[in-house]
Structure formats: C-alpha cells, structure tokens
C-alpha cells in the first residue's frame, strides 16, 4: 500500500516527460523527481521535490545548461550555482574537528582550458571575486561592490604575489571602482585607483583638491591622535602627539618618552 509510481509520456510542447512519485497508504501521489525532455532530444531540466504533505515543493533543479538552482524562489540569474529565496541563511559551512582548522571557501584559477589543468596564471589575472549586487527596477542586477584577489607580480612555483581590492559603486553608477588596495607586500593604499604599489605601509589620498585627507576621532574630547616611531627599538624614541586635554589642545613632541617641545592653543584657536 506504499511505494513509488513511475510515470512517463509527453509533457509541455510535446516533449518527453518522466517522473517518480511517492505513493502513501491511501494512494495519494507526491512528486519526488521529474524531468522534461529537450526539443527533439536531450533533457531540458531535472527537478527534485521534498515535503511532509501530499503536495511536495520543488527544492532543487538542474537546467539543460548544467546550472544548479535551489531555494524557495528558484530562478536562473546566470550563475552556475544559484540560490534564490526568502531566507537570510542562504548558505552555511560548519566544521567539526579537534584541531585549529576552519571552514573555508576556496577560490582558484588557472590559464588552462581542460579539467585538472595547472597552466600558470599571469600578472593582473583575477584569482577570485566576491560581488554584491541588487535589482535596480530596470535591469536584472546592478553591481554595488566587490572584493577581488588579483595577481600582483610575476607568479612562479610556490610563488603567488596577490593584491586585495575593495571596490564600491558611486552614486549614479553600477560600475564599482577600486577604493582600497592591499598589495602583496601588505601595504595599504586608500582613495586612489592607481595606487596599488607604494613604498610606505599606508598611503591615503584625499577625494580631490581642497579636501581633507583624513579625520581621526577618539570619540572622547580628552583623546586625540598619536603617531609614534621606534627609530632605535624603543617604544617612545620619537613620536608626535595631538592630545586634547580639557579646554586646550596640544601638540606634544617627545624623545625617549620625554617632552622636548610643546605647542598649545585654546579652543578658540
């Protein structure tokens, strides 16, 4: 009185059709699996269903082009693996192991054209990209931001210099522009698209002429900006501090922790 029912015949547009349906104890049929044939030959799609009632829900689909669609709002937006639905937790990765390893996404690339190819990549090749996009009411998806990993030099055996780029789209655009770059040397450049190589650890550009480069705030009127260098290995060999104390602001110049110069001004300037 329970089991599986195999069905086959003609489906939409006179294409071949097949299905596997579950049969319950009173003879009701529930969809488990179905396919639709191609236009004359082949397979147009394969669908998989689950649910705890007689009317099951499609959960997973493989298209004729090999794309995998899943979620409660199945839709093809061009990706090879596409989730579309109403839940926040669209994807999760969890690892259980008595070691320090972590669950991970791995992005990799080669210049090869076949399975298993190890053809070496070249400078400025993309190793990975994470894109953020939204529907804009006109086109399907408009790009808002992205994070990229790009080869940043000449790669070789066990050698893959790479820079990270952080991109955003400005108002009136859906073409992200790189706003911050971390080079293969660990240097950081902010505010200049071309500043992907620099001799300093931090390079910050203003937005244009007559604009401030940066503003630092401690969130407390008794705090300020401290810049320190260690020329001889000490913690306070040379530093310049801006230290807001009460109603006065001060520029303090220290050597070996001792104040050697002071510039004070009142709040009024």
């Amino acid at each position: 009185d329970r089991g599986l029912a195999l069905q086959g015949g003609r489906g939409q547009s006179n294409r071949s059709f097949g299905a596997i349906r579950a049969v319950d104890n009173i003879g009701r049929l529930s969809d488990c699996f179905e396919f639709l044939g191609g236009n004359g030959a082949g397979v147009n799609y394969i669908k998989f269903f689950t649910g705890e009632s007689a009317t099951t829900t499609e959960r997973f689909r493989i298209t004729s082009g090999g794309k995998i669609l899943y979620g409660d709002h199945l839709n093809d937006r061009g990706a090879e693996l596409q989730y579309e639905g109403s839940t926040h937790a669209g994807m999760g990765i969890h690892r259980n192991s008595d070691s320090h390893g972590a669950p991970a996404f791995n992005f990799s690339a080669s210049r090869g054209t076949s399975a298993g190819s190890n053809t070496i990549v070249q400078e400025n090749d993309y190793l990975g990209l994470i894109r953020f996009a939204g529907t804009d009411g006109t086109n399907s998806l408009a790009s808002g931001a992205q994070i990229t990993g790009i080869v940043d030099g000449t790669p070789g055996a066990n050698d893959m210099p790479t820079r990270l780029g952080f991109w955003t789209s400005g108002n009136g655009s859906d073409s992200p522009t790189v706003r911050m770059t971390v080079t293969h040397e660990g240097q950081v450049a902010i505010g200049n698209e071309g500043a992907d190589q620099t001799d300093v650890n931090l390079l910050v550009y203003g937005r244009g002429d007559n604009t401030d480069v940066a503003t630092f705030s401690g969130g407390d009127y008794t705090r300020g900006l401290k810049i320190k260098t260690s020329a001889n290995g000490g913690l306070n060999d040379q530093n310049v501090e801006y230290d807001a104390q009460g109603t006065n602001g001060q520029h303090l110049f220290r050597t070996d922790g001792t104040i050697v110069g002071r510039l004070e001004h009142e709040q009024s300037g």
Side-chain angles (χ1 to χ4, degrees):
D1 61 351
R2 294 177 178 84
L4 295 175
L6 302 180
Q7 296 182 342
R10 293 183 179 182
Q12 66 188 51
S13 301
N14 207 30
R15 299 183 181 197
S16 60
F17 174 83
I20 298 176
R21 306 188 192 282
V23 183
D24 67 11
N25 63 331
I26 58 175
R28 293 178 298 183
L29 299 177
S30 299
D31 292 332
C32 298
F33 166 93
E34 71 176 42
F35 78 89
L36 181 68
N39 186 13
V43 177
N44 182 266
Y45 64 69
I46 301 173
K47 296 181 179 180
F48 299 85
F49 300 77
T50 64
E52 288 290 338
S53 67
T55 302
T56 54
T57 301
E58 182 184 356
R59 308 296 188 182
F60 185 84
R61 183 186 304 176
I62 303 175
T63 70
S64 60
K67 296 177 181 178
I68 298 175
L69 313 178
Y70 72 105
D72 58 353
H73 297 164
L74 276 83
N75 185 44
D76 186 352
R77 293 190 181 270
E80 298 301 313
L81 173 62
Q82 176 71 53
Y83 167 83
E84 184 156 344
S86 58
T87 63
H88 288 288
M91 182 177 295
I93 300 176
H94 179 85
R95 180 177 186 267
N96 289 317
S97 179
D98 186 19
S99 68
H100 68 278
F105 280 107
N106 292 318
F107 298 87
S108 59
S110 83
R111 283 258 173 165
T113 59
S114 60
S117 173
N118 290 315
T119 304
I120 192 170
V121 292
Q122 299 177 14
E123 185 172 11
N124 292 321
D125 280 0
Y126 281 70
L127 300 181
L129 183 150
I130 301 174
R131 176 176 288 123
F132 304 86
T135 54
D136 61 6
T138 302
N139 298 316
S140 177
L141 291 174
S143 294
Q146 62 190 36
I147 302 172
T148 57
I150 300 174
V151 180
D152 194 28
T154 303
N158 300 315
D159 179 17
M160 192 57 60
T162 302
R163 67 180 181 270
L164 283 177
F166 296 83
W167 311 54
T168 60
S169 293
N171 191 22
S173 171
D174 67 348
S175 298
T177 299
V178 63
R179 310 295 187 180
M180 183 174 76
T181 301
V182 182
T183 73
H184 68 275
E185 296 288 352
Q187 300 154 326
V188 178
I190 301 175
N192 183 12
E193 182 176 357
D196 57 357
Q197 297 291 339
T198 176
D199 291 330
V200 297
N201 285 334
L202 176 63
L203 181 63
V204 183
Y205 282 81
R207 294 175 58 87
D209 295 339
N210 300 317
T211 61
D212 293 334
V213 173
T215 299
F216 297 88
S217 174
D220 188 324
Y221 74 92
T222 63
R223 298 293 184 264
L225 172 65
K226 295 183 179 181
I227 303 173
K228 296 184 178 183
T229 64
S230 297
N232 297 311
L235 294 178
N236 296 296
D237 290 337
Q238 299 169 355
N239 63 65
V240 178
E241 298 184 10
Y242 176 76
D243 188 3
Q245 297 288 339
T247 60
N248 295 325
Q250 304 176 68
H251 291 277
L252 304 177
F253 300 84
R254 302 177 188 264
T255 299
D256 292 329
T258 301
I259 297 176
V260 296
R262 183 194 306 266
L263 176 63
E264 295 188 15
H265 61 81
E266 295 180 355
Q267 277 189 322
S268 61

